[in-house]
Amino acid sequence: MSHEGTLLFLIAVLPFVGALLPGLMIRAGRTVCAVSTAVPTLLALIMLLVLAPAVLRGEVVQANIDWLPQLGLSASFFLDGLGLLFAAMILGVGLLITLYARFYLSGDDPMGQFYTYLLLFQGAMLGIVISDNILLLLIFWELTSLSSFLLIGYWKHLPEGRQGARMALAVTGSGGLAMIAGMLILGSVVGSYNLTDILQAGDAIRASEWYLPALILILLGAFTKSAQFPFHFWLPHAMAAPTPVSAYLHSATMVKAGVFLMARMWPALAGTDAWFYIVATTGLITMVIGALIALFKDDLKALLAFSTVSHLGLLTMLLGFGTEAAAVAAVFHIINHLTFKAALFMTAGIVDHETHTRDIKRLGGLRHLMPVTFLIGTVAALSMAGIPLFNGFLSKEMMLEEASHTDWFGSPYAVPILATIGALLSVAYSFRFVSHVFLGPKREDYPNAPHDPPFGMWAAPAILAFLVIVIGVAPFLAEGIVTAAANAITGADLHPHLKIWHGVTPALWMSIVAVLGGAVLLTLHRPLDRAWISAPRPEAKPMFDGLVAALVAASRWITDISHNGAISRYLAIFTITSVLLGFAAYSGSGLAMPTRGLLGVPPVIAVGWIMLIVATVSIVVMHHYRFRALTLLGIIGLSISAGFAYLSAPDLALTQISVETVTIMLLLLALHFLPKVTPKESAIGLRIRDGIIALAAGGGVGSLAYAFMMRDIETISDYHIDNSYEGGGGTNVVNVILVDFRGYDTYGEIIVLGIAGLVIYALMHALLDGPAAKRLKNTDYSQDRSRDRHPLMMVVVTRVLMPIALVVGLYIFLRGHNQPGGGFVAGLVVAIALLMQYMASGFAWTQERKKIEYHTMIGLGVLVAGLTGIGAWLLGQPFLTSAYTYVHLPPIEEFELATAMLFDLGVFLTVLGAVMLMLYSLSRIARFAGETVNVTPMDYDPGGYVTDEEAER
Amino acid sequence: MHWIILPVVLPALLAPLIGFVMRHDIVLARTASLAGTAAFFAIALGLTTMAADGATHVYRLGAWPAPFGIILVLDRLSALMVLLTGTLAFIVLVHAIATGWDARGRHFHALFQFQLMGISGAFLTGDVFNLFVFFEVLLIASYGLMIHSGGKERMRAGLQYVIMNLAGSTLFLFALGTLYASTGTLNIADLAARIPEIPAEETALVRVAAILLMIVFAVKAALFPVQFWLPATYANAPAPVAALFAIMTKVGAYAILRVHTTAFGPGVPGTESLAGTWLFPAAIVTIAVGAFGVLGARRLMPLIAFSVVGSMGTLLVSVAAFSTTATTAALYYMIHSTLAAACLFLIADLVVTRRSADTLHPEPATAQNGLFAALFFAAAIAMAGMPPLSGFLGKLLVLDAIRAPGFIGWAWSAILVGSLFTIVGFARAGSALFWKSTAIADPVPQTAVDAAADTPSHATTVQVAPVMLGLIALAALAIFAGPVSAYLDDTSAQLFDRKGYVDAVMDPVEEG
């Protein structure tokens, strides 16, 4: 990167780096804080001035750093005449505003924050004007919206500030979003996002079929930012910001970003009818409407705001004309507007600051009390009115000159007349600003006794007013920069001459009409004002607020009815979606020919099948009675187990039976604390709807199953069968799959089980700490309880069964690798054996006899399984690689030892622990609900006959 | 090389130790959990470096050859996802510990580690059934985290969450059954090899499986019309958990990318256009659902939750294009939106715990109003896709990637208008929470004791640090967008190199 490029890059970065300073330096005092804001600005300005001579000679300074090449986004900057003009304005006015704000802000305002925001804005704005990449430009564009949002909302306790900030963000933000689309289109038309490339591809762009969409989208961005009709309404509301912000963002710089963009894009987009009619017309309308409203605003800042709208319209119109002379006029007016309008805003701020009001109707006669302010304000206002020897006159003449020979839809008069009216209104409100605020008699009822502010406060507007006169008297001084900027816009080599006297031209006559007419209009202001106030007119703010409120209400409505919390509906939608999409996918292709025939149905199976159907239908009918539903569920589970056994899946059958048993037992225990009957909540219509959905889904799953059961397919399971013994050391391929081929799945699943145990435990604690605990305590469960909770027969039988069950469990565990069984089933069987003890003799009695904590058991199980897997690492094998060997111990037959069994032990422990932890949680709830604790195995002691008799006595 | 399985095994061993050995001492549990998560992050970083060479690393569990055993696959995509998980987990964990959320219920750290295990397992697996298993792990662990510390609303929302996702799991099983019955395998590479061999006119069953799988993943990714569970879940979950859940929706998006690209993806007659056709309109509606939800929100947590829904829409619009460019955009946006959502939830936590509720009504300004406002502002502009954070670049990448006629209009309008709604929604919320509150006079504290007890006054540095870290990550993502997208370009190229994947996995001599 060249030396100049580095400087340019530094200019772009300085404000952002500088933004860190004020927030810290405020701790050293307000003046230090202001200085720390001025320093980066000043540095950037100096660097800019170093670059200026080259740019004025017509060179272009460039800097480029790659950022996101995939997208075509690069941090590239370039400085040409237009960029130089704007950058100088941004930095120069930035300095003046920094000075002004130092005195304007009160001691209560967080000044550090203000200056930080200001510098952020300055950096963003600077970025816009020197970006050489339109995506980069977009980034800065959005950043100005954001920093403007923060600055407008700076006085966050004021509702106007907050609303104005949100409105500005919404309007400029939406424009920015439209512009994103426009820029992306532009980029794809040109094939590059680099401005330099785009500006050279004007013909290709205008010829593209995407020209109009791109133009409209980009103009939307520009118009919203530059407050063009009908998006102008946000700007007056942005005046809720502190006055330095209004002067800086909302008159001098940010609102000109749209104008800048149109100027920047001029070579690429201008020169078509669409451009002329959209841009010039919008500008013209905005100019007139803005000026008209400005005349009737009593708030000084509102008056200036609408005047700004009007002048932005003027600039837009000039750019819309698309001629080179109009471009020159626009550039010149940008400079002139900056000087007088910023000065006026600062004047208004001073008046507000001193008198504590901005209401014109409460002001007047300030000339005597604030002579300096009066002088500055008058100079600036006369320039705004376009009085000769002030700079505003010059550019307004040029504008009228251009307007005078512009044809609009075949009419040569429309534009000149409307332009003259605009100028006339402009004269009127400018004169009003002077006469109603400063002239007239001194009043006695100012809210605060006014006097001229300290030098620091009027210095900045004074400098601007000085410039107004200098340029007004010696316009050739601005020729260099105007030429450079105009050449940058048009790409032509222009040599405009700025001079005061052009001879007697139509523009002069129009100007004379405007000044005289404006003066007359002002004398008629009082009656006109009354008419204006009584006349019905659309107000933007209520309309905007109404629109937002309506959008919010509509959003709320949509969200509320769609997310109403009805899980049954969510599930219905999910099911319908699955069925419909499944069907759609199915319809897109066909099936292979069936390769299997149907099997016959033996009578036993038919009975089982009918039992399954009957039980299922019965559940649907009786599900409100939970106990019955649970019983039926048991029947279904057993039928399915039988089905598995019939279809030669003994492992599945075993697992299913034990899972079924444990589940039903636990559910029964849980049901104790729940209502026994479910209320009927759904209306008949809903039930029919749900029925249809359920049948459709069931039918879908059924036909899917039917479709694939009719077809043979080569699966990977052949490999499993072939390798089960040799590779996995087991003849039960199901078990080998579970603990070896796909041991990792099992590992995951036991962890699921372990987590479930944890979650249930955590849930139980959360419940018992919450309001549910009270309900538990206050519900009388005694009616549900058996009089003999721990019956003798059951206690005796479970005691006898216990060792048998344990041996069975051990057996199932050991044979697992070769025969149906395994750790999972074994764990469940042992769990059932223990569960029975709990049911027979109560939890506390059993609890006393258990040695190992269930938490630990789960943890141990998961760890054992995991460590078994890791063990393979020691031999350099991947996780869960198994090894096995055959051991021969004399009294016993030769048997196998496999690491898979260790893994299975982990499964066993986790299953057992999880089930028992669930039981433990249930019993905690039971004790909470007031269940008594017994320490004896039975409620009555068969050997304690006497005691019992005594008790009865 | 056992590195690949460490992101699963490490938390899987740590979690039982924390849950069952250290459960009586929170300091011990915190230390172990934090150390574990830091190690997880370090491993993820190592894996990313390992994957950066462009090779597809395969880890054969039990030393069984694919497709008969289960395999883990580490490529750039899975490494990236694990790294993202590690980053997020660390940020969230520090927050949970610093704010004391972890002590408000039982087993937070054990569940947290199990959750990490589930997520990384899902990212690393090369087998769809194993994916199902890890979906179960992360579902049950997330349910436990979701209802952490209880409360009526939370329990109710948690029930919906678990029911909806169990329904999704059931469908997952149906889909897997259909897939196995029509292809005879569940290994993704094997599927990729076998499905194209099925005659195009006989692919009905595979198509059904593909679309059902997509719905299953869509449930996780909160895609319309199966997104209904998300807003209530995220809004009622403990805030750090909601922040962690930012990665959970991405599991769904990842699964779509992985399975529907590699197994059913481009170049597979019969299924190649299936996913995109349905995914695209659904994603567009999802953006709208999110936008409406954000603008209409009455409370802060649902507002953020809906913004997550909207971001998933944007992400999946990009995924639905199933092209390398669009996938790069999707991945960039995925990293961004995960971190942005997490930041928002963490800030919301800091703010909401200092207010009476998360309703968007002004209340007297909390301590450090300015700090929270600044953090919220930063995270909100990230989420809404405004510069200078990564959201804007992500949005640009997505917009730029979707240029197919017929898609461009819908996608651009939805994303841009959705952004506007989001911007306005966040502006309204922030204005009510942080600006309007300054206009309300602080009620005189009844007694000094009261005031001290009620308001958890100043946030400590450690409490704010995670949010800051997240925002810094977002800024870094924007600044280093170039190198990041270069990596992502390679990532999507690798993802779409189906043959490379199949070869790496099915190659019998390759050693993991």
Side-chain angles (χ1 to χ4, degrees):
Chain A
M1 204 184 297
S2 66
H3 167 68
E4 285 82 10
T6 314
L7 276 188
L8 186 60
F9 202 75
L10 280 176
I11 292 173
V13 172
L14 258 175
F16 291 112
V17 178
L20 301 171
L21 285 178
L24 286 172
M25 298 311 280
I26 185 66
R27 292 172 182 273
R30 289 153 61 81
T31 306
V32 177
C33 180
V35 170
S36 73
T37 311
V39 167
T41 316
L42 193 63
L43 279 177
L45 187 60
I46 291 170
M47 292 182 195
L48 191 74
L49 292 178
V50 170
L51 297 177
V55 175
L56 288 177
R57 280 197 304 273
E59 290 170 26
V60 174
V61 179
Q62 284 185 308
N64 179 36
I65 294 180
D66 268 353
W67 187 357
L68 185 48
Q70 287 88 345
L71 186 62
L73 165 67
S74 59
S76 46
F77 300 97
F78 79 133
L79 190 70
D80 62 356
L82 184 65
L84 176 69
L85 169 66
F86 269 90
M89 281 168 29
I90 293 160
L91 293 169
V93 180
L95 274 179
L96 296 179
I97 292 292
T98 307
L99 170 67
Y100 178 76
R102 161 66 188 84
F103 295 93
Y104 180 85
L105 291 179
S106 81
D108 298 335
D109 299 323
M111 186 183 263
Q113 227 175 63
F114 181 85
Y115 280 130
T116 297
Y117 294 165
L118 205 68
L119 280 175
L120 285 178
F121 163 75
Q122 187 178 306
M125 189 66 210
L126 209 52
I128 290 182
V129 300
I130 59 172
S131 285
D132 187 15
N133 182 293
I134 51 175
L135 298 180
L136 186 69
L137 190 149
L138 280 175
I139 290 179
F140 289 121
W141 188 272
E142 298 282 38
L143 280 179
T144 57
S145 294
L146 286 174
S147 46
S148 150
F149 171 77
L150 291 174
L151 282 167
I152 300 172
Y154 176 68
W155 280 322
K156 43 189 178 279
H157 51 278
L158 299 180
E160 304 84 44
R162 297 194 296 269
Q163 290 160 12
R166 291 207 306 267
M167 185 193 277
L169 183 68
V171 176
T172 58
S174 50
L177 291 168
M179 210 169 97
I180 292 177
M183 292 298 196
L184 286 175
I185 294 176
L186 205 58
S188 67
V189 170
V190 179
S192 161
Y193 288 116
N194 274 344
L195 253 176
T196 8
D197 297 335
I198 290 172
L199 296 186
Q200 276 158 14
D203 293 331
I205 294 169
R206 284 184 289 267
S208 157
E209 52 171 338
W210 287 95
Y211 169 71
L212 200 59
L215 177 69
I216 291 173
L217 289 167
I218 292 174
L219 285 180
L220 272 176
F223 287 173
T224 48
K225 199 75 160 187
S226 279
Q228 294 301 295
F229 180 83
F231 309 112
H232 63 285
F233 58 90
W234 70 266
L235 184 57
H237 291 285
M239 294 298 143
T243 303
V245 174
S246 310
Y248 192 29
L249 274 72
H250 303 125
S251 88
T253 56
M254 189 186 86
V255 288
K256 294 223 178 77
V259 173
F260 167 82
L261 189 79
M262 286 184 274
R264 180 91 283 173
M265 290 295 175
W266 207 82
L269 298 175
T272 61
D273 279 353
W275 170 274
F276 172 76
Y277 283 112
I278 298 175
V279 179
T281 312
T282 308
L284 189 61
I285 295 174
T286 310
M287 177 171 78
V288 177
I289 289 185
L292 182 67
I293 301 176
L295 184 57
F296 297 103
K297 284 289 167 189
D298 289 331
D299 180 357
L300 271 182
K301 281 179 76 177
L303 184 154
L304 293 176
F306 278 103
S307 139
T308 305
V309 169
S310 170
H311 281 268
L312 291 168
L314 185 159
L315 291 170
T316 305
M317 181 183 75
L318 281 173
L319 290 169
F321 287 165
T323 61
E324 287 164 354
V328 174
V331 170
F332 196 29
H333 195 68
I334 287 171
I335 301 173
N336 296 338
H337 179 250
L338 168 99
T339 51
F340 66 71
K341 189 54 67 66
L344 281 172
F345 264 111
M346 291 193 224
T347 310
I350 292 173
V351 170
D352 185 19
H353 201 257
E354 296 300 323
T355 64
H356 292 193
T357 181
R358 303 194 309 241
D359 188 343
I360 297 179
K361 292 199 170 130
R362 300 183 65 184
L363 294 167
L366 290 181
R367 155 179 61 123
H368 310 287
L369 299 164
M370 308 169 74
V372 180
T373 315
F374 165 62
L375 185 67
I376 297 169
T378 309
V379 167
L382 290 179
S383 175
M384 178 158 77
I387 302 299
L389 296 186
F390 298 102
N391 61 358
F393 167 74
L394 303 165
S395 44
K396 184 180 281 182
E397 282 285 294
M398 292 160 82
M399 180 276 284
L400 291 172
E401 173 66 30
E402 285 307 303
S404 69
H405 48 74
T406 300
D407 222 35
W408 194 80
F409 279 113
S411 154
Y413 299 114
V415 176
I417 289 177
L418 283 170
T420 312
I421 292 176
L424 186 152
L425 290 166
S426 174
V427 171
Y429 66 67
S430 303
F431 284 176
R432 178 164 184 242
F433 184 90
V434 176
S435 70
H436 288 193
V437 174
F438 295 106
L439 303 183
K442 200 161 88 176
R443 295 169 65 146
E444 302 301 325
D445 59 347
Y446 303 118
N448 189 45
H451 51 78
D452 265 325
F455 169 73
M457 201 160 175
W458 61 256
I463 293 171
L464 290 168
F466 176 68
L467 282 175
V468 164
I469 296 173
V470 169
I471 301 175
V473 176
F476 55 87
L477 288 176
E479 232 165 58
I481 182 74
V482 169
T483 309
N487 285 344
I489 294 176
T490 57
D493 190 20
L494 306 173
H495 297 283
H497 291 287
L498 306 174
K499 45 189 185 188
I500 300 176
W501 182 249
H502 290 268
V504 183
T505 55
L508 187 65
W509 289 114
M510 288 156 83
S511 218
I512 291 170
V513 170
V515 173
L516 294 179
V520 172
L521 205 57
L522 185 62
T523 57
L524 298 175
H525 187 266
R526 200 173 289 269
L528 284 175
D529 194 39
R530 272 197 296 273
W532 175 266
I533 288 169
S534 57
R537 57 185 187 278
E539 282 289 345
K541 183 157 192 302
M543 282 160 72
F544 176 82
D545 288 348
L547 177 70
V548 173
L551 276 178
V552 169
S555 303
R556 217 163 251 184
W557 182 75
I558 291 172
T559 307
D560 287 350
I561 60 158
S562 56
H563 296 73
N564 64 349
I567 184 71
S568 58
R569 198 170 76 184
Y570 298 173
L571 282 173
I573 294 172
F574 165 77
T575 315
I576 295 170
T577 310
S578 308
V579 172
L580 289 184
L581 284 192
F583 184 74
Y586 180 85
S587 318
S589 182
L591 293 173
M593 287 301 289
T595 51
R596 293 179 186 171
L598 291 173
L599 299 175
V601 184
V604 184
I605 297 308
V607 171
W609 187 78
I610 290 169
M611 214 165 79
L612 194 62
I613 301 287
V614 170
T616 312
V617 173
S618 311
I619 278 200
V620 174
V621 176
M622 294 194 228
H623 74 275
H624 287 291
Y625 305 96
R626 290 176 168 175
F627 185 75
R628 277 181 232 170
L630 210 51
T631 318
L632 288 166
L633 208 59
I635 297 178
I636 294 174
L638 289 178
S639 311
I640 291 175
S641 315
F644 283 145
Y646 172 70
L647 294 170
S648 358
D651 280 275
L652 280 182
L654 254 183
T655 315
Q656 179 69 30
I657 287 183
S658 34
V659 167
E660 199 63 35
T661 316
V662 171
T663 318
I664 299 285
M665 278 166 116
L666 288 175
L667 279 175
L668 275 174
L669 287 172
L671 190 58
H672 178 60
F673 305 104
L674 296 170
K676 306 296 173 288
V677 180
T678 323
K680 292 189 169 139
E681 285 162 343
S682 314
I684 182 78
L686 277 180
R687 272 183 283 166
I688 291 175
R689 180 202 75 178
D690 292 349
I692 294 171
I693 295 172
L695 285 176
V701 174
S703 34
L704 212 53
Y706 182 77
F708 57 68
M709 281 195 294
M710 294 293 286
R711 284 158 184 86
D712 282 302
I713 188 113
E714 188 196 332
T715 68
I716 52 169
S717 55
D718 297 339
Y719 175 92
H720 293 150
I721 294 168
D722 293 345
N723 287 276
S724 165
Y725 187 70
E726 271 178 29
T731 50
N732 176 9
V733 65
V734 176
N735 183 269
V736 177
I737 289 178
L738 282 177
V739 299
D740 200 333
F741 288 121
R742 300 192 69 96
Y744 187 56
D745 280 344
T746 312
Y747 183 51
E749 288 296 354
I750 61 167
I751 285 178
V752 171
L753 208 57
I755 302 172
L758 282 187
V759 170
I760 289 169
Y761 180 78
L763 199 56
M764 181 264 298
H765 268 281
L767 274 178
L768 296 186
D769 292 342
K774 291 199 192 80
R775 202 168 58 239
L776 269 179
K777 270 191 173 153
N778 294 324
T779 311
D780 183 15
Y781 291 104
S782 60
Q783 294 308 308
D784 301 340
R785 270 178 206 140
S786 154
R787 304 293 285 279
D788 185 11
R789 291 191 302 152
H790 306 295
L792 171 67
M793 281 309 289
M794 188 162 168
V795 172
V796 172
V797 171
T798 52
R799 291 295 178 283
V800 176
L801 271 178
M802 170 96 168
I804 302 175
L806 290 182
V807 170
V808 170
L810 184 66
Y811 172 68
I812 290 179
F813 176 78
L814 287 177
R815 72 180 218 144
H817 218 43
N818 296 309
Q819 300 285 321
F824 190 84
V825 183
L828 287 172
V829 169
V830 172
I832 293 169
L834 292 175
L835 257 171
M836 288 193 304
Q837 310 307 315
Y838 283 77
M839 290 184 112
S841 294
F843 194 86
W845 182 86
T846 324
Q847 191 74 356
E848 265 185 20
R849 278 152 190 81
K850 92 171 172 157
K851 295 281 174 286
I852 177 165
E853 252 223 304
Y854 302 127
H855 277 97
T856 319
M857 204 186 280
I858 301 177
L860 209 59
V862 173
L863 278 179
V864 166
L867 291 174
T868 310
I870 290 179
W873 291 356
L874 299 177
L875 302 173
Q877 292 294 319
F879 191 66
L880 282 175
T881 306
S882 66
Y884 61 92
T885 178
Y886 293 90
V887 182
H888 187 75
L889 289 177
I892 323 170
E893 272 190 65
E894 186 184 67
F895 65 96
E896 181 193 358
L897 274 182
T899 53
M901 293 184 75
L902 206 54
F903 181 77
D904 223 8
L905 178 67
V907 176
F908 171 83
L909 287 174
T910 314
V911 171
L912 182 59
V915 174
M916 298 319 282
L917 190 61
M918 291 172 201
L919 182 70
Y920 169 74
S921 302
L922 277 171
S923 75
R924 275 290 302 273
I925 294 174
R927 254 188 290 169
F928 218 81
E931 199 161 292
T932 49
V933 172
N934 57 318
V935 287
T936 52
M938 284 167 279
D939 286 345
Y940 93 111
D941 179 6
Y945 176 74
V946 181
T947 345
D948 222 14
E949 204 178 48
E950 271 173 4
E952 264 181 35
R953 227 185 288 148
Chain B
M1 283 297 281
H2 303 294
W3 288 106
I4 299 177
I5 200 168
L6 274 184
V8 178
V9 169
L10 174 77
L13 290 181
L14 195 57
L17 285 176
I18 293 174
F20 308 114
V21 182
M22 314 176 183
R23 71 195 165 101
H24 296 298
D25 189 279
I26 188 77
V27 177
L28 190 57
R30 280 174 177 172
T31 315
S33 190
L34 207 55
T37 311
F40 183 96
F41 176 76
I43 293 165
L45 211 56
L47 289 180
T48 314
T49 334
M50 195 168 133
D53 66 358
T56 302
H57 302 265
V58 178
Y59 188 82
R60 297 172 206 286
L61 285 155
W64 294 107
F68 309 107
I70 299 171
I71 49 145
L72 301 189
V73 180
L74 179 83
D75 58 3
R76 291 193 182 97
L77 179 59
S78 44
L80 173 77
M81 297 310 293
V82 174
L83 182 61
L84 184 60
T85 310
T87 315
L88 180 73
F90 189 78
I91 290 174
V92 169
L93 188 64
V94 173
H95 180 97
I97 292 174
T99 52
W101 261 110
D102 60 340
R104 289 186 209 166
R106 307 282 164 136
H107 288 314
F108 180 88
H109 292 289
L111 290 171
F112 189 89
Q113 293 298 328
F114 276 131
Q115 175 81 322
L116 282 189
M117 176 221 170
I119 295 171
S120 47
F123 287 145
L124 286 168
T125 189
D127 185 289
V128 264
F129 187 82
N130 193 241
L131 185 65
F132 167 79
V133 171
F134 280 98
F135 266 35
E136 295 300 286
V137 173
L138 60 87
L139 168 62
I140 189 86
S142 64
Y143 176 61
L145 287 173
M146 150 85 212
I147 57 170
H148 177 70
S149 94
K152 192 175 167 193
E153 283 303 311
R154 187 167 295 157
M155 290 297 195
R156 182 176 295 164
L159 190 67
Q160 291 201 350
Y161 169 68
V162 81
I163 288 179
M164 224 25 232
N165 279 279
L166 282 177
S169 296
T170 314
L171 190 66
F172 204 161
L173 280 182
F174 290 160
L176 290 179
T178 313
L179 196 58
Y180 187 71
S182 51
T183 62
T185 188
L186 291 167
N187 178 293
I188 295 174
D190 201 22
L191 285 170
R194 287 193 191 199
I195 294 172
E197 290 170 9
I198 303 174
E201 64 280 1
E202 291 176 11
T203 49
L205 285 179
V206 182
R207 286 168 59 87
V208 173
I211 205 79
L212 293 187
L213 278 180
M214 199 192 81
I215 297 173
V216 172
F217 302 149
V219 171
K220 280 273 179 290
L223 193 67
F224 179 84
V226 285
Q227 89 295 354
F228 296 102
W229 61 271
L230 186 139
T233 305
Y234 282 34
N236 291 299
V241 173
L244 182 68
F245 281 11
I247 192 78
M248 297 271 288
T249 43
K250 282 30 170 215
V251 176
Y254 164 84
I256 293 178
L257 266 180
R258 174 69 79 196
V259 175
H260 285 85
T261 302
T262 309
F264 307 115
V268 183
T271 52
E272 59 179 340
S273 62
L274 197 57
T277 312
W278 293 104
L279 206 52
F280 184 77
I284 295 287
V285 182
T286 309
I287 295 177
V289 169
F292 286 131
V294 169
L295 190 61
R298 294 182 181 86
R299 297 194 296 128
L300 181 59
M301 294 289 279
L303 183 141
I304 303 173
F306 274 106
S307 74
V308 171
V309 173
S311 74
M312 285 314 290
T314 309
L315 169 59
L316 287 162
V317 159
S318 202
V319 168
F322 286 105
S323 73
T324 43
T325 338
T327 303
T328 303
L331 292 175
Y332 186 89
Y333 193 83
M334 179 181 317
I335 304 174
H336 151 77
S337 65
T338 306
L339 294 172
C343 284
L344 273 173
F345 278 118
L346 296 184
I347 296 159
D349 185 39
L350 294 178
V351 176
V352 171
T353 47
R354 287 167 177 76
R355 293 165 49 95
S356 67
D358 71 337
T359 47
L360 296 173
H361 286 298
E363 281 180 26
T366 61
Q368 294 167 297
N369 186 43
L371 174 70
F372 295 145
L375 294 175
F376 181 79
F377 183 73
I381 61 172
M383 196 63 177
M386 297 280 270
L389 297 177
S390 49
F392 189 73
L393 297 182
K395 193 162 74 184
L396 281 187
L397 280 167
V398 172
L399 291 173
D400 189 59
I402 302 184
R403 289 186 180 275
F407 290 88
I408 183 165
W410 285 105
W412 284 24
S413 328
I415 292 174
L416 292 174
V417 176
S419 293
L420 180 65
F421 274 52
T422 312
I423 292 168
V424 174
F426 272 112
R428 287 168 55 89
S431 156
L433 286 174
F434 303 110
W435 282 358
K436 209 167 180 180
S437 54
T438 57
I440 296 179
D442 219 341
V444 186
Q446 294 84 0
T447 64
V449 183
D450 246 21
D454 281 357
T455 47
S457 52
H458 280 257
T460 61
T461 315
V462 190
Q463 286 173 346
V464 181
V467 176
M468 296 275 198
L469 213 58
L471 291 173
I472 290 170
L474 287 174
L477 189 61
I479 294 170
F480 301 108
V484 170
S485 335
Y487 182 87
L488 297 180
D489 265 343
D490 294 342
T491 306
S492 33
Q494 191 178 18
L495 178 66
F496 280 84
D497 178 16
R498 302 172 62 243
K499 189 172 175 304
Y501 184 89
V502 173
D503 289 349
V505 171
M506 305 299 277
D507 182 4
V509 290
E510 212 263 355
E511 190 50 55

